Amino acid sequence: MSVAKHKLTRPTGAQNDLLRSDPYADARRISGMVNNLYDGPVWGLFPALFAAGGLSIERIGILAAVYPAVWGAGQLNTGPSRTGSAANH
């Protein structure tokens, strides 16, 4: 869809009130951005470097699978989220 046909909007009314009433919204946004900046090299740069280093596709696939497995296992130790999302209630 082209930008000309897509209507860009800002949060208004109740959405805006919800954003203003959440003191942790900015921290979560920044945290999400940092997480995405970290994941970029992991999913894009590292496999390319591994391939340039002569690793086979199978080995690169194993390394790519280990990262989310370790991340998921680490989430088990963190306990319940404190963000107040509906999934935690």
Side-chain angles (χ1 to χ4, degrees), residues 6-81:
H6 184 73
K7 183 178 179 183
L8 300 176
T9 61
R10 290 182 163 192
T12 58
Q15 291 175 333
N16 220 1
D17 293 340
L18 179 63
L19 290 174
R20 273 185 259 148
S21 68
D22 184 1
Y24 302 107
D26 286 336
R28 282 197 304 272
R29 286 185 200 108
I30 291 169
S31 174
M33 181 185 70
V34 169
N35 188 50
N36 289 339
L37 289 173
Y38 174 75
D39 280 345
V42 170
W43 291 108
L45 181 61
F46 292 160
L49 291 174
F50 296 151
L55 281 171
S56 68
I57 288 291
E58 292 82 15
R59 297 279 179 160
I60 294 171
I62 290 169
L63 289 172
V66 167
Y67 170 72
V70 170
W71 178 86
Q75 296 303 302
L76 296 174
N77 283 335
T78 62
S81 174

